[in-house]
Amino acid sequence: MSKLDSKIPEGPLETKWSSYKSSVPLVNPANKRSLEIIVVGSGLAGSSAAASLAEMGYKVKVFCFQDSARRAHSIAAQGGINAAKNYQNDGDSTYRLFYDTIKGGDYRAREGNVYRLAEVSAAIIDQCVAQGVPFAREYGGLLSNRSFGGTQVQRTFYAAGQTGQQLLLGAYSALQRQVGLGNVQMYARHEMLDVVVVDGKAKGIIARDLVTGKLERHSGHAVLLCTGGYGNVFFLSTNAMGSNVTAAWKAHKKGAFFGNPCFTQIHPTCIPVSGDHQSKLTLMSESLRNDGRIWVPKKKDDNRKPNEIPEDERDYYLERRYPAFGNLVPRDVASRAAKERCDAGYGVGASKMAVYLDYASAIERYGKQQANKLGETGASKERITQLGKDVVKEKYGNLFDMYAKITGENPYETPMRIYPAVHYTMGGLWVDYNLMTTVPGLYALGEANFSDHGANRLGASALMQGLADGYFVIPYTIGAYLSGQIRDKALPTDHEAFVEAEKNVQDTIDRLMNIKGSKSVDHFHKRLGKIMWDKCGMARNEKGLKEAISEIRALREEFWKDVRVLGGKNELNPELEKACRVADFLELGELMCIDALNRNESCGGHFREEFQTEEGEAQRDDANYMYAACWEFKPGVQFELHKEDLKYERIKVSARSYK
Amino acid sequence: MNLTLKVWRQKNASDKGSFATYQVNDISEEMSFLEMFDVLNERLIAKGEEPIAFDHDCREGICGMCSMHINGRAHGPWSGTTTCQLHMRAFKDGDTITVEPWRAKAFPVIKDLVVDRSAFDKIQSAGGFVSVNTGNAQDANCIPIPKDDADASFAAAACIGCGACVAACKNSSAMLFVSAKVSQFALLPQGQVERVDRALNMVKEMDAAGFGNCTNTGSCEAECPKEISLDNIARLNREYLMANLKK
């Protein structure tokens, strides 16, 4: 158990972080110049960490597989970022953000980490505004807010439906400034393929230059994995095509425990699958639930067009089941409710696996407001609709456009069809309060770690966590480790540990290239995704999970016998890149099922059909499962469970209710 | 639908490259353009031919990675749309579609449809930022900004850095990209301190990277998937002129 010391500082919750900051060891400026930090991934967590650490004087190297740091998938986050600013005077506070996050996560996250997250949230907004991030504003020039699921205050800051883009470009600009100053060396189109560990400490990485295919050795005093989540194990998800688990998985195989791998977020509002050709799924931001109303027909197999179904024949099932939060219940609850309706035969669209997200009443409400504002008493219905559409266009225009392009339908005229899809993974590498994994010197930030969202993440909290970790946590906590490394020179890259790690990577690549089988990488990836979605998706049960485990093992064996990777290894080869990633997904998938099977309860996004209340809500088992499940990798793709018990000193743990 | 594709194939930067023709049958109009490429690539792999390399990632029109020149237009026939958001509804049965990489001296081809756009990162490093270190910021609402200014700044900041403006321009000019970044900051109070240096340094880096001059034909604006306005170029010209007068 000694390996799982969360290192939460002593003392009252409110002062843990401030007293930690006052007592954490520092590294003096001269020593910082001789300490090298490797940052893998350039999304919100990676870019913000790299920029901040370089500003402090550390030497930083940043790696990303895309052609520029600005492409990382944080860019696609739409809706917003939470912060406990209480600018709306609606009773928000650090404590409320902390409480909402713990409750939203169904009491499966650490109090100490989450309180710190809420505490630093306000400074993130200040930092981003100072960088020139153009957030949405009111006419008085002050910042605007909106609501997200699982909260009853307006604490979400946004930039139209492109908040992730603007925040990432802010962090990217800070990063590029440091690149220009020579403090950061940027390695784009590079993929990390192993961690180099010496005497139990992370000392560097092996990376592949994706253009030349050459393997490179990079040494550092610390390695930060900011490599995002692993939702692409499902093949179809809202993740970018390149998003992968490889860096985290290589770290896992070198000794970093993997925390709560089965905690997956299925997002309720995505554009439904249209056919077998589908390569990814597209999210429609949760912010749409601010104004949109979700419904299905009251009649089974109702084939009428949505606009022909009268009001009293519609079932606004979220408003019916959860009157207190209505359409703004958390994501796990909304997703399950949509699945329940579709499974019961009330789904809509050609596939019957969709529900309506309707803007008609919002358009009318905004139209009337606008007409009043313009003094147009007695405006016609058409005029009101037009005014309403203009308001909706300003708020959500880019999302509506995207929907229209993908589906060929006009969402201003007809309700959108939506269905849940894999979106985010709460699980990830286990980290302590310092964000350090079980391998000293190896850190995980942002979605790559498991720390703050428990079993379900609230909307607009991923951006908050990525930037909190990068801007405001790691710059302090890394000192606790690096202050002890100032006497160590960087590991020379001809050290035997580098030689061996590089050889292992080379052998894996050679093995993949030499199989010369008959099926493409995507063929295997799609089959894995189907197993995961059917048996480890929105609803899980013991029988299905056991089947999934043996099916994945068989599929993995088949992959290593029959995959076909064309092209050369010493050149740009996207097929080889995919093959390396899918090989890791084929191991991770098994662990996710093992973890889901181990957790004999339902909590947050993890819904075991055997464990539900009479009303179909998730039923936790706090007596037996109030712990983070942390898995250690053993040779032969075996996993050993370690438990970190969760202690709630401040919050009273209760059944989660949004009714 | 059945299509004929003429796709640029080029082994690497030093290879001369040429068009290859592929017959692609049974394509559904619900597919995205890149999903049609996925299907083609799967068929090539089945035949033992090397699949076509192309850049793509988010497939939501925001990362700026995808970059195909389709039938002579950057990102293809739909305006205000990236290649990944272009759907096959835009084409009809029997069409011949020609697909090339971005063509510009500053964007050398790496392989097939993949080009090197690192020049954009260098321009960003030259001045596309506000020099504020982490931890020094005042309360966000201490800087009130008129909504119209914030909106205009956002409209410029919506640039995804895909390089379509360069590919569309007969001079391979990067003025729309550079002007969007300069404008984002020029319109905000936070950007004022470094306003002069920013305009000078970013333009200098742009010229050094080998991008051409702007002759105001407006093709960049017409092809920009995020519909970044040509007004930004006018603003950059003013910024640059003023900066030269001040320095």
Side-chain angles (χ1 to χ4, degrees), chain A residues 638-654:
Chain A
Q638 300 288 317
F639 305 96
E640 185 184 327
L641 176 65
H642 302 260
K643 298 174 185 176
E644 183 201 333
D645 290 323
L646 297 167
K647 294 184 196 75
Y648 291 93
E649 291 167 358
R650 175 58 60 89
I651 277 186
K652 192 173 158 294
V653 178
S654 59

Side-chain angles (χ1 to χ4, degrees), chain A residues 496-534:
Chain A
E496 61 183 48
F498 270 111
V499 176
E500 194 194 328
E502 186 186 308
K503 184 177 179 304
N504 288 339
V505 172
Q506 190 62 62
D507 288 349
T508 305
I509 289 172
D510 291 343
R511 208 177 137 204
L512 283 167
M513 300 293 300
N514 290 331
I515 296 169
K516 300 186 195 300
S518 67
K519 306 271 179 10
S520 70
V521 178
D522 276 0
H523 167 88
F524 290 99
H525 196 177
K526 284 182 183 177
R527 280 170 63 193
L528 172 66
K530 183 156 172 33
I531 298 171
M532 294 301 293
W533 179 247
D534 289 346

Side-chain angles (χ1 to χ4, degrees), chain A residues 367-440:
Chain A
K368 281 180 181 163
Q369 263 177 24
Q370 201 65 4
N372 275 340
K373 206 155 97 187
L374 298 170
E376 295 184 22
T377 45
S380 69
K381 195 163 184 295
E382 288 71 35
R383 174 69 180 155
I384 286 173
T385 306
Q386 191 48 52
L387 289 170
K389 281 180 186 169
D390 291 346
V391 175
V392 168
K393 190 175 169 59
E394 197 195 320
K395 286 184 162 232
Y396 309 106
N398 69 320
L399 301 170
F400 277 50
D401 289 350
M402 191 156 70
Y403 183 86
K405 275 172 199 157
I406 293 173
T407 63
E409 293 172 3
N410 179 357
Y412 292 98
E413 302 292 340
T414 186
M416 289 182 248
R417 285 172 296 111
I418 53 156
Y419 196 69
V422 175
H423 180 56
Y424 184 90
T425 47
M426 283 73 69
L429 293 175
W430 182 92
V431 291
D432 63 15
Y433 194 70
N434 296 323
L435 304 181
M436 196 195 277
T437 67
T438 46
V439 176

Side-chain angles (χ1 to χ4, degrees), chain B residues 127-141:
Chain B
F129 48 76
V130 173
S131 295
V132 52
N133 283 1
T134 304
N136 291 306
Q138 59 187 323
D139 183 85
N141 263 352

Side-chain angles (χ1 to χ4, degrees), chain B residues 43-54:
Chain B
R43 291 176 189 171
L44 290 177
I45 294 169
K47 283 197 285 183
E49 287 178 43
E50 200 181 331
I52 302 157
F54 60 93

